[in-house]
Structures are given as C-alpha cells and as structure tokens.
Amino acid sequence: MDAKAKRRILFVDDESPVLNLLQVLMRKADSGWESLFVDGGAKALQMMAAQPFDVVVSDMRMPGMNGAEF
C-alpha cells in the first residue's frame, strides 16, 4: 500500500443518528482513515463489491440482514 494512501473503513448501521455520531467522531480522529457510512447490509455489500475496504464495522441488530448475516 502506498505510504500516502489512506486506509478505508466502512461503518454499517440502520440508524442514521448512530451513523451521524460515528461521522463526527471519525472527523475528529486520525486523518489516516477514509471513512464511509452506509445504512444497511445490502447497500454495504454493493459498496464492498465496487471497492475494497480495510475494515468493516457493522451493527449486529439490523432489520432485513443482521450483522452476522452481513
């Protein structure tokens, strides 16, 4: 990996307030991460098919597709 390339992290949750809080926290954190946020497992799978991520953080209790299924 290029020394200048940011590592990518994907946050997955069905609750917008949770994702909004995570966005605020990540803005204040180390800028070595490119953070993306998505509401739901199906959308997250689409994003992961289109681009790689170094880390994925998922809610375990989501409707339709829970974190374990995701």
Side-chain angles (χ1 to χ4, degrees):
M1 182 163 130
D2 183 325
K4 293 183 181 182
K6 289 186 176 184
R7 296 197 183 267
R8 298 168 49 84
I9 185 168
L10 177 63
F11 290 93
V12 184
D13 200 305
D14 63 309
E15 297 181 39
S16 295
V18 173
L19 291 174
N20 292 338
L21 176 61
L22 289 168
Q23 284 180 314
V24 169
L25 293 173
M26 289 306 292
R27 263 187 256 138
K28 294 179 180 181
D30 181 355
S31 63
W33 290 93
E34 177 184 355
S35 302
L36 287 98
F37 305 85
V38 66
D39 62 339
K43 290 181 185 177
L45 289 173
Q46 290 175 345
M47 288 183 74
M48 291 170 62
Q51 53 192 325
F53 290 90
D54 297 295
V55 177
V56 176
V57 178
S58 176
D59 181 5
M60 287 300 290
R61 295 182 180 170
M62 296 183 290
M65 178 186 303
N66 68 36
E69 292 169 330
F70 165 68

